[in-house]
Amino acid sequence: MRTQQRMNRTGERTSTGNMFVLSGVFMTSTGVAIILALSFAGLLFAFNRLQTTADELAIAGARKLNELDRIGQMNNMIARSRQLVYASRHQLEIAQTHFPQVVELSQKLVDEARDGAHELDQQRLHLRGVNSSEVQTAVMEKFNQLKERHAMVLPWIRVSIPENPQIRIGYIDQVQSNVSLLENLDELQNADQAPAVSDSQSKLYQENINPKLAGSDGDLNFKLSSLPAPVENTVAPARATLAASFKPVPNDDLQSAVQVEIVLQVETMLGAAGSGKFHSIGTALATGANNMQ
Amino acid sequence: MFAKRNTKFSTSFKRSTVRTKSSSRGISGGTIAEFGAAFLVLVVFIFIPLVNASFVVVRYYLASGALTEYVHRLSLTEKRSQAISMLTTDTWWSDFSANCGITVTNKKLSLVICGADEGDKLTVPQGQDVPDDWLPGGTKGPCIYNIQLEVNVQVAPVYSGGSGLPGINAPVPMQIAAHSNWENLSRNPKTKRFFINE
């Protein structure tokens, strides 16, 4: 009908309209270009904000891990318990050779030291469970505070609320334990200077090791976990770090790092509708140990 | 009414060059001779260059967003020397930029430190140590440590010749800087030095 109005019977065109069409094409192209640029800027903005959120969540979890220096203290107690078991066993052997009258007392001391080591190992496992649960709670609380700020609905782009984060707890590669090599027991100290047990430069025990004692006490576990050590009164603050340095802990060792992965659904609604997911990973290391009390 | 009038005209003056009062276009519908040239000028000298130049803005956003992400990665490294070596080994950002028509040159990594007092600001260039006063626990503290990467980029439009007008048919030279908080403020237990100085 419109075409008929704009054309006469002989098919000749009217004298108006070309500039209108050209302006329309020009304006539409410019509008589409502007919307595309805005969409792209919006996607970049959404991605950067997602990365910031992932880092914040990981740090919230990591700060909880070593709250009140519980991992650091546990590592120190385990190392001292090991020393105590070693020393009491050594005293028992001396008593058996030279002082038979105190053998019974020495045996009691060995039994107490062994019971203490066993109990400490149980507490370590309990602490692992507590840490795990508290990290989950801390990360989810932070996530619930932050998730709403991601939602964004514009005519050409829609950013949803992120999906619930995946939380992994582990340690950071090449971060040794916070425990210094113990002195006073020469024989034990010499044995502990092996590179697999301690580092010759830092004089710290290696991370995630179980330096079992030889002989009758070989059944006891003395698991030392990874945690930044204090250096000249400087305690390492919790910090974000590279995702590639995160490792899962072997067996049932205590963890000292948190990794959080969040996924954000993004939809574009200009022309052909499309959707995709942004993945962001935040990794953080727990606060370091305090100086030994 | 107009349609009726036009029909009448077209019947009487078919294929004539007579123009109506309200328009400079011929009654037959053919455009005036100058219109083709004007249209060509509009497209070639305005429309295409505008579209061409608009990609410079999009590419600038790309470069800026990728640089921010890259600097964030650098700030998460263990030592500052690692961040410097990542500049040469981890080239995803410059590769990505090159694929988007952005040439990256002259990367400069520095550490910008803001002290406790207003006006306390220090820029430590690549390869130099942070003075003791500005280290964590130093007399200028507590400080905020930012790692900053400055690069020179050449952002090309979609069509770009070897030389010409920047933004229209030649790349636009610009300097982009991005920064991120330095994360590792602890000390290396092996050397006792701050990681920020290693």
Side-chain angles (χ1 to χ4, degrees), chain A residues 22 26 40 55 232 234, chain B residues 39 47 62 72 78 183 187:
Chain A
L22 282 170
F26 181 76
F40 185 74
D55 287 341
E232 293 179 2
T234 304
Chain B
F39 183 62
F47 186 65
L62 266 173
H72 179 66
E78 192 83 356
E183 289 286 336
R187 285 178 185 233

Side-chain angles (χ1 to χ4, degrees), chain A residues 8 12 14-16 18-19 22 26 40 44 55 176 199 201-202 204 231-232 234 236 239-242, chain B residues 10 23 25 28-29 31 35 39 47 50 61-62 69 72-73 76-78 183-184 186-187 189-190 192:
Chain A
N8 62 22
E12 290 162 343
T14 62
S15 60
T16 58
N18 267 355
M19 278 311 290
L22 282 170
F26 181 76
F40 185 74
L44 272 179
D55 287 341
Q176 297 157 339
D199 181 82
Q201 271 186 290
S202 64
L204 294 172
V231 181
E232 293 179 2
T234 304
R239 65 180 170 97
T241 187
L242 290 171
Chain B
S10 65
S23 169
R25 179 181 292 165
S28 63
T31 53
F35 187 78
F39 183 62
F47 186 65
L50 265 179
Y61 270 117
L62 266 173
E69 169 63 18
H72 179 66
R73 283 194 199 187
L76 300 180
T77 50
E78 192 83 356
E183 289 286 336
N184 193 358
S186 58
R187 285 178 185 233
K190 293 181 183 176
K192 314 292 182 201

Side-chain angles (χ1 to χ4, degrees), chain B residues 2-196:
Chain B
F2 283 116
K4 202 171 181 179
R5 194 177 66 180
N6 285 339
T7 308
K8 192 177 175 185
F9 271 118
S10 65
T11 310
S12 310
F13 306 100
K14 199 173 181 183
R15 304 284 174 202
S16 78
T17 55
V18 175
R19 302 175 194 284
T20 63
K21 284 178 188 172
S22 60
S23 169
S24 61
R25 179 181 292 165
I27 286 295
S28 63
T31 53
I32 58 172
E34 295 84 359
F35 187 78
F39 183 62
L40 196 69
V41 167
L42 178 74
V43 170
V44 172
F45 292 102
I46 302 202
F47 186 65
I48 291 176
L50 265 179
V51 172
N52 207 18
S54 69
F55 273 80
V56 172
V57 180
V58 174
R59 284 176 167 176
Y60 171 79
Y61 270 117
L62 266 173
S64 181
L67 184 67
T68 305
E69 169 63 18
Y70 187 56
V71 173
H72 179 66
R73 283 194 199 187
L74 295 180
S75 73
L76 300 180
T77 50
E78 192 83 356
K79 304 171 183 178
R80 197 147 58 99
S81 58
Q82 270 181 331
I84 293 165
S85 67
M86 257 179 83
L87 278 178
T88 48
T89 55
D90 187 3
T91 56
W92 75 265
W93 178 67
S94 42
D95 295 344
F96 170 79
S97 301
N99 290 335
C100 297
I102 303 157
T103 313
V104 182
T105 52
N106 198 21
K107 300 174 189 170
K108 276 189 281 184
L109 191 71
S110 55
L111 192 71
V112 179
I113 309 172
C114 295
D117 292 338
E118 197 180 348
D120 272 356
K121 190 177 175 186
L122 177 72
T123 302
V124 183
Q126 188 173 321
Q128 287 187 18
D129 279 356
V130 177
D132 288 349
D133 288 345
W134 296 83
L135 285 170
T139 54
K140 296 282 187 183
C143 300
I144 296 170
Y145 302 87
N146 272 296
I147 192 156
Q148 179 174 286
L149 181 62
E150 280 179 298
V151 291
N152 291 339
V153 291
Q154 293 215 318
V155 186
V158 178
Y159 168 74
S160 171
S163 61
L165 202 58
I168 304 300
N169 60 351
V172 185
M174 41 178 115
Q175 194 176 54
I176 309 180
H179 56 84
S180 181
N181 271 345
W182 177 259
E183 289 286 336
N184 193 358
L185 298 176
S186 58
R187 285 178 185 233
N188 187 342
K190 293 181 183 176
T191 60
K192 314 292 182 201
R193 298 183 75 208
F194 280 94
F195 281 111
I196 207 167

Side-chain angles (χ1 to χ4, degrees), chain A residues 79-99:
Chain A
R80 263 135 201 84
S81 167
R82 178 171 174 266
Q83 200 178 28
L84 184 62
V85 172
Y86 179 87
S88 53
R89 177 68 65 188
H90 187 62
Q91 282 168 356
L92 176 63
E93 285 166 3
I94 292 172
Q96 283 168 337
T97 314
H98 303 291
F99 309 103

Side-chain angles (χ1 to χ4, degrees), chain A residues 49-66:
Chain A
R49 202 162 52 165
L50 188 69
Q51 183 60 56
T52 307
T53 301
D55 287 341
E56 281 187 50
L57 295 182
I59 286 177
R63 289 181 64 190
K64 203 73 187 173
L65 263 180
N66 192 31

Side-chain angles (χ1 to χ4, degrees), chain A:
Chain A
M1 181 73 184
R2 181 173 291 176
T3 310
Q4 282 174 351
Q5 283 175 355
R6 291 170 64 87
M7 307 278 279
N8 62 22
R9 266 183 249 157
T10 55
E12 290 162 343
R13 290 156 61 194
T14 62
S15 60
T16 58
N18 267 355
M19 278 311 290
F20 179 76
V21 172
L22 282 170
S23 304
V25 169
F26 181 76
M27 297 292 280
T28 308
S29 311
T30 311
V32 167
I34 289 170
I35 288 174
L36 279 175
L38 285 174
S39 297
F40 185 74
L43 288 176
L44 272 179
F45 177 67
F47 182 76
N48 284 339
R49 202 162 52 165
L50 188 69
Q51 183 60 56
T52 307
T53 301
D55 287 341
E56 281 187 50
L57 295 182
I59 286 177
R63 289 181 64 190
K64 203 73 187 173
L65 263 180
N66 192 31
E67 199 172 46
L68 303 174
D69 194 24
R70 53 195 180 190
I71 300 175
Q73 288 187 31
M74 179 58 76
N75 275 343
N76 281 322
M77 281 193 290
I78 288 172
R80 263 135 201 84
S81 167
R82 178 171 174 266
Q83 200 178 28
L84 184 62
V85 172
Y86 179 87
S88 53
R89 177 68 65 188
H90 187 62
Q91 282 168 356
L92 176 63
E93 285 166 3
I94 292 172
Q96 283 168 337
T97 314
H98 303 291
F99 309 103
Q101 68 278 17
V102 292
V103 165
E104 197 178 340
L105 179 63
S106 298
Q107 184 62 53
K108 270 189 180 174
L109 289 174
V110 170
D111 292 343
E112 275 181 19
R114 283 180 53 84
D115 286 348
H118 187 70
E119 183 61 31
L120 206 51
D121 196 41
Q122 294 301 311
Q123 288 303 313
R124 185 185 60 78
L125 290 172
H126 176 68
L127 179 59
R128 182 184 155 93
V130 169
N131 274 350
S132 206
S133 139
E134 288 191 356
V135 165
Q136 299 273 343
T137 308
V139 171
M140 287 312 294
E141 274 177 9
K142 193 75 181 175
F143 176 71
N144 289 330
Q145 282 173 19
L146 301 178
K147 67 179 180 184
E148 295 295 340
R149 74 181 187 186
H150 286 273
M152 179 168 69
V153 179
L154 295 171
W156 54 88
I157 186 172
R158 179 188 293 151
V159 181
S160 312
I161 291 171
E163 295 168 16
N164 276 355
Q166 285 182 24
I167 304 164
R168 295 182 279 271
I169 315 178
Y171 76 102
I172 298 300
D173 196 24
Q174 296 186 347
V175 174
Q176 297 157 339
S177 83
N178 61 300
V179 184
S180 301
L181 200 57
L182 298 177
E183 296 172 349
N184 304 323
L185 295 171
D186 292 344
E187 202 177 330
L188 183 63
Q189 192 182 348
N190 288 339
D192 286 352
Q193 280 172 353
V197 180
S198 67
D199 181 82
S200 58
Q201 271 186 290
S202 64
K203 307 283 182 202
L204 294 172
Y205 282 95
Q206 301 286 15
E207 72 278 14
N208 302 318
I209 56 166
N210 185 8
K212 293 200 171 199
L213 293 171
S216 340
D217 299 313
D219 59 323
L220 296 173
N221 285 323
F222 300 101
K223 294 189 170 181
L224 299 174
S225 64
S226 162
L227 189 72
V231 181
E232 293 179 2
N233 295 325
T234 304
V235 175
R239 65 180 170 97
T241 187
L242 290 171
S245 57
F246 180 86
K247 308 272 181 217
V249 288
N251 307 316
D252 56 2
D253 286 21
L254 286 176
Q255 312 98 326
S256 56
V258 177
Q259 189 165 71
V260 178
E261 183 173 359
I262 41 177
V263 177
L264 186 68
Q265 179 86 27
V266 181
E267 292 172 67
T268 53
M269 293 173 287
L270 182 73
S275 69
K277 286 183 173 180
F278 282 156
H279 288 253
S280 237
I281 296 178
T283 307
L285 175 63
T287 310
N290 288 329
N291 284 313
M292 195 173 59
Q293 301 297 313

